[in-house]
Amino acid sequence: MSRLELLVEEPSMEEALRHLLPKIIGNRAEWKVINMRSKGRLMKELPDRLRGYKRRMDGGEEIKVIVLIDRDNDDCHALKRQLEDMARNAGLQTKTAAGTGGAAFQVVNRIAIEELEAWFMGDTAALQRAFTSLGGVRFPNSFNNPDNGGTWERLHHFLKQNGIYRNSFPKIDAARNIAKHMEPERNRSRSFQCFLQGVVACL
């Protein structure tokens, strides 16, 4: 059975994936989420980690690597180019570089725009199941385009208005509560759908 290893930058993404990946992957592959604890550390250590994966693949292990990072305020194209360069310098082919012709690849680079919370906003049914007090509540029009910036602030503001997480936004707790109710196929976040396509392509 092939194996997917996902490198993420922080614990709320790790928590969300622990609930989402079984729905996407099922029993088609083994998987592991590696929390790098910060975006800076992930970017700093990624070249060495990719070279380590290359050695393991050359030794016969069937591994695909998914790097998942928040865009935050970075330029999306520049950040993606940086990730692609790191993979190429490690001797690995990315899904983007492989194109659509079916060529083999070992690495998928994906960027959440701007942050994980856009994925939560893209599934309002999951929000209503996670927080039953939202039943019958009208969601703002901005939730129709969850990748449109200011994501965690918009989500926290909306939840606070409805009496949820009034004092602070506990990212890990929110990720756990919401992600377990998410259905990947119905999510309106474009960055989530790009992530989903990348995972499925690895299977």
Side-chain angles (χ1 to χ4, degrees), residues 71-117:
R71 188 196 73 184
D72 299 316
N73 294 320
D74 288 331
D75 178 281
C76 186
H77 297 291
L79 181 59
K80 181 69 178 285
R81 189 164 52 247
Q82 195 175 359
L83 295 172
E84 294 285 308
D85 287 347
M86 289 181 187
R88 187 179 61 251
N89 292 338
L92 298 170
Q93 175 92 323
T94 68
K95 183 178 183 303
T96 299
T100 57
F105 64 90
Q106 298 86 40
V107 177
V108 175
N109 292 312
R110 287 293 180 262
I111 299 171
I113 299 175
E114 307 171 340
E115 298 148 329
L116 169 65
E117 285 74 16

Coordinates of all heavy atoms in Angstrom, one line a residue, residues 71-117:
R71 N -1.3 30.8 2.8 CA -0.8 31.9 2.1 C -0.5 33.1 3.0 O 0.5 33.8 2.8 CB -1.8 32.3 1.0 CG -1.2 33.4 0.1 CD -2.2 34.1 -0.7 NE -3.0 35.0 0.1 CZ -4.0 35.7 -0.3 NH1 -4.4 35.6 -1.5 NH2 -4.6 36.6 0.5
D72 N -1.4 33.3 4.0 CA -1.3 34.5 4.9 C -1.2 35.7 4.0 O -2.0 35.9 3.1 CB -0.1 34.4 5.8 CG -0.2 33.2 6.8 OD1 -1.3 32.9 7.3 OD2 0.7 32.4 7.0
N73 N -0.2 36.5 4.2 CA -0.1 37.8 3.4 C 1.0 37.6 2.2 O 1.4 38.6 1.6 CB 0.3 39.0 4.3 CG -0.8 39.3 5.2 OD1 -2.0 39.3 4.9 ND2 -0.4 39.6 6.5
D74 N 1.5 36.4 2.0 CA 2.5 36.2 1.0 C 1.8 36.3 -0.4 O 0.6 36.1 -0.6 CB 3.1 34.8 1.2 CG 4.0 34.7 2.3 OD1 4.6 35.8 2.7 OD2 4.2 33.6 2.9
D75 N 2.7 36.5 -1.4 CA 2.2 36.4 -2.8 C 2.1 35.0 -3.1 O 3.0 34.2 -3.0 CB 3.3 37.1 -3.7 CG 2.9 37.0 -5.1 OD1 3.1 35.9 -5.7 OD2 2.4 38.0 -5.7
C76 N 0.9 34.6 -3.5 CA 0.6 33.1 -3.7 C 1.5 32.5 -4.8 O 2.0 31.4 -4.6 CB -0.9 33.0 -4.2 SG -1.4 31.3 -4.3
H77 N 1.7 33.2 -5.9 CA 2.5 32.7 -7.0 C 4.0 32.6 -6.6 O 4.7 31.6 -6.9 CB 2.4 33.6 -8.2 CG 1.0 33.6 -8.8 ND1 0.4 32.5 -9.4 CD2 0.1 34.6 -8.8 CE1 -0.8 32.8 -9.7 NE2 -1.1 34.0 -9.4
A78 N 4.5 33.6 -5.8 CA 5.9 33.5 -5.4 C 6.1 32.4 -4.4 O 7.1 31.7 -4.4 CB 6.3 34.9 -4.8
L79 N 5.1 32.2 -3.5 CA 5.2 31.1 -2.5 C 5.2 29.8 -3.2 O 6.0 28.9 -2.8 CB 4.0 31.3 -1.5 CG 4.0 30.2 -0.3 CD1 5.3 30.3 0.5 CD2 2.8 30.5 0.5
K80 N 4.3 29.6 -4.1 CA 4.2 28.3 -4.9 C 5.5 28.1 -5.6 O 6.0 26.9 -5.6 CB 3.0 28.4 -5.8 CG 2.8 27.1 -6.6 CD 2.3 25.9 -5.8 CE 2.1 24.7 -6.6 NZ 0.9 24.7 -7.4
R81 N 6.0 29.1 -6.2 CA 7.3 28.9 -7.0 C 8.4 28.5 -6.1 O 9.2 27.7 -6.4 CB 7.6 30.3 -7.7 CG 8.8 30.1 -8.7 CD 8.8 31.3 -9.6 NE 8.8 32.6 -8.9 CZ 7.8 33.5 -9.0 NH1 6.7 33.2 -9.6 NH2 7.9 34.6 -8.3
Q82 N 8.4 29.1 -4.9 CA 9.5 28.7 -3.9 C 9.4 27.2 -3.5 O 10.4 26.5 -3.4 CB 9.3 29.6 -2.6 CG 10.5 29.6 -1.7 CD 10.3 30.6 -0.5 OE1 9.3 31.3 -0.5 NE2 11.3 30.7 0.3
L83 N 8.1 26.8 -3.3 CA 7.9 25.4 -2.9 C 8.3 24.5 -4.1 O 8.9 23.4 -3.9 CB 6.5 25.1 -2.5 CG 6.0 25.9 -1.3 CD1 4.4 25.7 -1.1 CD2 6.7 25.3 0.0
E84 N 7.9 24.9 -5.3 CA 8.3 24.1 -6.5 C 9.8 24.0 -6.6 O 10.3 22.9 -7.0 CB 7.6 24.7 -7.7 CG 6.1 24.6 -7.7 CD 5.5 23.2 -8.0 OE1 5.9 22.6 -9.0 OE2 4.7 22.7 -7.2
D85 N 10.5 25.1 -6.4 CA 11.9 25.1 -6.6 C 12.6 24.1 -5.6 O 13.6 23.4 -5.9 CB 12.5 26.5 -6.4 CG 12.2 27.4 -7.6 OD1 11.8 26.9 -8.6 OD2 12.3 28.6 -7.4
M86 N 12.1 24.1 -4.3 CA 12.6 23.3 -3.3 C 12.5 21.8 -3.7 O 13.5 21.0 -3.5 CB 11.9 23.5 -1.9 CG 12.3 24.8 -1.3 SD 11.4 24.9 0.3 CE 11.8 26.6 0.8
A87 N 11.4 21.4 -4.2 CA 11.2 20.0 -4.7 C 12.1 19.7 -5.8 O 12.8 18.7 -5.8 CB 9.7 19.8 -5.1
R88 N 12.2 20.6 -6.8 CA 13.0 20.3 -8.0 C 14.5 20.2 -7.5 O 15.2 19.3 -8.0 CB 12.9 21.4 -9.0 CG 13.6 21.1 -10.3 CD 13.4 22.2 -11.4 NE 14.0 23.5 -10.9 CZ 13.2 24.5 -10.6 NH1 11.9 24.4 -10.7 NH2 13.8 25.6 -10.2
N89 N 14.9 21.1 -6.6 CA 16.3 21.0 -6.2 C 16.6 19.7 -5.4 O 17.8 19.3 -5.3 CB 16.6 22.2 -5.3 CG 16.7 23.5 -6.1 OD1 16.8 23.5 -7.3 ND2 16.4 24.6 -5.5
A90 N 15.6 19.1 -4.8 CA 15.8 17.8 -4.1 C 15.7 16.6 -5.0 O 15.8 15.5 -4.6 CB 14.7 17.7 -3.0
G91 N 15.5 16.9 -6.3 CA 15.4 15.8 -7.3 C 14.0 15.2 -7.4 O 13.9 14.0 -7.9
L92 N 13.0 15.9 -7.0 CA 11.6 15.4 -7.0 C 10.8 16.1 -8.0 O 10.9 17.3 -8.2 CB 11.0 15.5 -5.5 CG 11.8 14.7 -4.4 CD1 11.2 15.1 -3.1 CD2 11.6 13.2 -4.7
Q93 N 9.9 15.4 -8.6 CA 8.9 16.0 -9.5 C 7.6 16.3 -8.8 O 7.1 15.5 -8.0 CB 8.6 14.9 -10.6 CG 7.5 15.3 -11.6 CD 8.1 16.0 -12.8 OE1 9.1 16.8 -12.7 NE2 7.5 15.7 -14.0
T94 N 7.1 17.5 -9.0 CA 5.8 17.9 -8.4 C 4.7 17.7 -9.4 O 4.9 17.5 -10.6 CB 5.8 19.4 -8.0 OG1 5.8 20.2 -9.3 CG2 7.0 19.8 -7.2
K95 N 3.5 17.6 -8.8 CA 2.3 17.5 -9.6 C 2.1 18.6 -10.6 O 1.8 18.4 -11.8 CB 1.0 17.4 -8.7 CG -0.3 17.1 -9.5 CD -1.4 17.0 -8.6 CE -2.7 16.6 -9.4 NZ -3.0 17.6 -10.4
T96 N 2.4 19.8 -10.2 CA 2.3 21.0 -11.0 C 3.3 20.8 -12.2 O 2.9 21.1 -13.4 CB 2.6 22.3 -10.3 OG1 1.6 22.4 -9.2 CG2 2.5 23.5 -11.2
A97 N 4.6 20.4 -11.9 CA 5.6 20.3 -13.0 C 5.2 19.1 -13.9 O 5.5 19.2 -15.1 CB 6.9 20.1 -12.4
A98 N 4.6 18.1 -13.4 CA 4.2 17.0 -14.2 C 3.1 17.3 -15.2 O 3.0 16.6 -16.2 CB 3.8 15.8 -13.3
G99 N 2.3 18.3 -14.9 CA 1.3 18.7 -15.8 C 0.1 17.7 -15.8 O 0.0 16.9 -14.9
T100 N -0.7 17.8 -16.9 CA -1.9 17.0 -16.9 C -1.8 15.8 -17.8 O -2.8 15.1 -18.1 CB -3.1 17.9 -17.4 OG1 -2.7 18.4 -18.7 CG2 -3.4 19.0 -16.5
G101 N -0.6 15.5 -18.2 CA -0.4 14.4 -19.2 C -0.2 13.0 -18.5 O 0.0 12.0 -19.2
G102 N -0.4 13.0 -17.2 CA -0.2 11.7 -16.5 C 1.2 11.3 -16.2 O 1.4 10.1 -15.8
A103 N 2.1 12.2 -16.3 CA 3.5 11.9 -15.9 C 3.6 11.7 -14.4 O 2.8 12.2 -13.6 CB 4.4 13.1 -16.3
A104 N 4.6 10.9 -13.9 CA 4.7 10.6 -12.5 C 5.2 11.8 -11.7 O 5.9 12.7 -12.2 CB 5.7 9.4 -12.4
F105 N 4.8 11.8 -10.5 CA 5.2 12.9 -9.6 C 5.3 12.3 -8.2 O 4.7 11.3 -7.9 CB 4.2 14.1 -9.6 CG 2.8 13.8 -9.1 CD1 2.5 13.9 -7.7 CD2 1.8 13.3 -10.0 CE1 1.2 13.6 -7.3 CE2 0.6 12.9 -9.5 CZ 0.3 13.1 -8.1
Q106 N 6.0 13.1 -7.3 CA 6.3 12.6 -6.0 C 5.8 13.6 -4.9 O 5.6 13.3 -3.7 CB 7.7 12.3 -5.7 CG 8.3 11.2 -6.5 CD 8.8 11.7 -7.9 OE1 9.4 12.8 -8.0 NE2 8.6 11.0 -8.9
V107 N 5.6 14.9 -5.3 CA 5.3 16.0 -4.4 C 4.1 16.8 -4.9 O 4.0 17.1 -6.1 CB 6.5 16.9 -4.2 CG1 6.1 18.1 -3.3 CG2 7.7 16.1 -3.6
V108 N 3.2 17.1 -4.0 CA 2.1 18.0 -4.3 C 2.2 19.2 -3.3 O 2.3 19.0 -2.1 CB 0.7 17.4 -4.1 CG1 -0.4 18.4 -4.2 CG2 0.5 16.2 -5.0
N109 N 2.3 20.4 -3.9 CA 2.4 21.6 -3.1 C 1.0 22.3 -3.1 O 0.5 22.6 -4.2 CB 3.4 22.6 -3.6 CG 4.8 22.1 -3.4 OD1 5.2 21.6 -2.3 ND2 5.6 22.1 -4.5
R110 N 0.4 22.6 -2.0 CA -0.9 23.2 -1.9 C -0.9 24.4 -0.9 O -0.2 24.3 0.2 CB -2.0 22.2 -1.5 CG -2.3 21.2 -2.6 CD -3.0 22.0 -3.8 NE -3.3 21.1 -4.9 CZ -2.5 20.9 -6.0 NH1 -1.4 21.6 -6.1 NH2 -2.9 20.2 -7.0
I111 N -1.6 25.4 -1.2 CA -1.6 26.6 -0.4 C -3.1 26.9 0.0 O -4.0 27.1 -0.9 CB -1.0 27.8 -1.2 CG1 0.4 27.5 -1.5 CG2 -1.2 29.1 -0.4 CD1 1.0 28.5 -2.5
A112 N -3.3 27.0 1.3 CA -4.7 27.4 1.8 C -4.8 29.0 1.7 O -3.9 29.7 2.2 CB -4.9 27.0 3.2
I113 N -5.8 29.5 1.1 CA -6.0 30.9 0.9 C -7.1 31.5 1.7 O -8.3 31.1 1.4 CB -6.2 31.2 -0.6 CG1 -4.9 30.7 -1.4 CG2 -6.4 32.7 -0.9 CD1 -5.0 30.8 -2.9
E114 N -6.9 32.4 2.5 CA -5.6 32.7 3.1 C -5.1 31.8 4.2 O -4.0 31.6 4.4 CB -5.6 34.1 3.8 CG -6.1 35.2 3.0 CD -6.3 36.5 3.9 OE1 -6.4 36.4 5.1 OE2 -6.4 37.6 3.3
E115 N -6.2 31.2 4.8 CA -5.9 30.3 5.9 C -6.9 29.1 6.0 O -7.8 29.1 5.2 CB -6.0 31.1 7.3 CG -5.0 32.3 7.4 CD -5.6 33.4 8.1 OE1 -6.9 33.6 8.1 OE2 -4.9 34.1 8.8
L116 N -6.6 28.2 6.9 CA -7.5 27.1 7.1 C -9.0 27.5 7.2 O -9.9 26.8 6.8 CB -7.0 26.3 8.3 CG -7.9 25.2 8.9 CD1 -8.0 24.1 7.9 CD2 -7.4 24.7 10.2
E117 N -9.2 28.6 7.9 CA -10.6 29.0 8.2 C -11.5 29.2 6.9 O -12.7 29.0 6.9 CB -10.7 30.2 9.1 CG -10.3 30.0 10.5 CD -8.8 29.8 10.7 OE1 -8.0 30.1 9.8 OE2 -8.5 29.3 11.8

